[in-house]
């Protein structure tokens, strides 16, 4: 007789082997024969497992989108709050009023703030980050230029943090409440 033991680790394998149509009748450490199967629709616990996984994925994607939109809103409104007028920074303070107005219109600064924000969001999703007000070049080109140095500094910072932080944490835990712990707490805040 061909018996097999079922456990939770085999759920995905069982689904793949049964082509998502049939699954073993029992769940746990019960031995059953391979012919003892039932339709997947009859097993409410199976639907709940997949539903929970799907909801977890949907929730993660939703939080990711909200976070991204929040970051876009922050960067957009910081750009609008700074005292420098982007159109004036491009044309200069000696430009004519017509050139200034044409530049504002070309940049979309004459539109309402909500329209500017949604235009900004759609441009970012298309990969168009615009032109830098300080350098006049495309922002993506500036990012490509400075990204290697940023990555290098971040990596060095993480290495230093781990090399110093782990031993300091261990020593603080071993000397809880003593002067060593207090010194490392202050250094950790710095």
């Amino acid at each position: 007789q061909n018996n097999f033991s079922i456990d939770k680790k085999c759920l995905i394998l069982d689904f793949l082997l049964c082509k998502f149509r049939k699954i073993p009748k029992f769940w746990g450490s019960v031995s059953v024969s391979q012919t003892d199967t039932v339709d997947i629709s009859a097993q409410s616990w199976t639907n709940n497992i997949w539903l929970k996984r799907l909801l977890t994925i949907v929730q993660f994607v939703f939080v990711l989108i909200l976070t991204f939109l929040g970051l876009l809103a922050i960067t957009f409104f910081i750009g609008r709050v700074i005292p420098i007028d982007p159109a004036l920074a491009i044309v200069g303070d000696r430009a004519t009023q017509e050139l200034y107005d044409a530049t504002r219109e070309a940049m979309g600064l004459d539109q309402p703030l909500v329209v500017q924000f949604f235009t900004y969001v759609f441009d970012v999703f298309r990969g168009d980050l615009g032109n830098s007000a300080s350098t006049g070049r495309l922002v993506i080109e500036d990012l490509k230029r400075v990204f290697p140095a940023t990555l290098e500094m971040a990596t060095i910072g993480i290495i230093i943090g781990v090399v110093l932080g782990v031993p300091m944490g261990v020593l603080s835990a071993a000397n809880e409440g003593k002067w060593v712990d207090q010194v490392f707490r202050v250094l950790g805040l710095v």
Side-chain angles (χ1 to χ4, degrees):
Q1 188 178 9
N2 233 350
N3 289 348
F4 63 100
S5 178
I6 305 168
D7 61 4
K8 292 181 181 179
K9 295 176 184 174
C10 295
L11 176 65
I12 296 174
L13 181 61
D14 289 342
F15 278 166
L16 293 174
L17 292 176
C18 299
K19 298 180 184 175
F20 296 97
R21 283 181 279 147
K22 294 186 177 232
I23 58 171
K25 189 178 197 177
F26 301 100
W27 191 254
S29 59
V30 179
S31 281
V32 294
S33 68
Q34 287 181 332
T35 58
D36 216 2
T37 59
V38 67
D39 284 340
I40 192 169
S41 60
Q43 297 289 332
S44 63
W45 56 266
T46 306
N47 292 335
N48 287 339
I49 289 173
W50 291 106
L51 183 62
K52 287 179 184 177
R53 289 180 181 165
L54 179 65
L55 288 176
T56 302
I57 292 170
V58 168
Q59 181 182 13
F60 174 76
V61 170
F62 182 71
V63 168
L64 189 68
I65 290 171
L66 279 181
T67 303
F68 190 65
L69 286 175
L71 288 172
L72 284 175
I74 289 170
T75 57
F76 175 79
F77 289 113
I78 285 176
R80 297 304 182 261
V81 174
I82 58 173
I84 299 171
D85 183 7
L88 189 60
I90 290 175
V91 297
D93 56 353
R94 294 182 185 208
T96 63
Q97 185 66 32
E98 293 82 20
L99 180 61
Y100 173 76
D101 291 338
T103 305
R104 280 187 59 83
E105 185 177 332
M107 294 176 69
L109 297 174
D110 59 336
Q111 298 175 354
L113 204 57
V114 174
V115 174
Q116 290 180 38
F117 176 69
F118 283 112
T119 303
Y120 173 70
V121 169
F122 290 128
D123 286 347
V124 168
F125 279 123
R126 288 185 305 143
D128 180 13
L129 300 178
N131 293 328
S132 171
S134 60
T135 64
R137 294 189 302 250
L138 292 174
V139 171
I140 197 75
E141 289 177 5
D142 287 345
L143 287 175
K144 286 178 185 176
R145 184 176 50 85
V146 298
F147 183 74
T150 304
L151 183 63
E152 181 181 340
M153 288 175 45
T155 304
I156 290 171
I158 289 171
I159 291 170
I160 290 172
V162 169
V163 167
L164 294 178
V166 171
M168 286 171 54
V170 169
L171 287 172
S172 290
N175 299 303
E176 185 177 359
K178 296 181 181 172
W179 68 272
V180 174
D181 183 29
Q182 301 300 325
V183 168
F184 286 155
R185 282 187 193 188
V186 170
L187 286 176
L189 292 173
V190 174

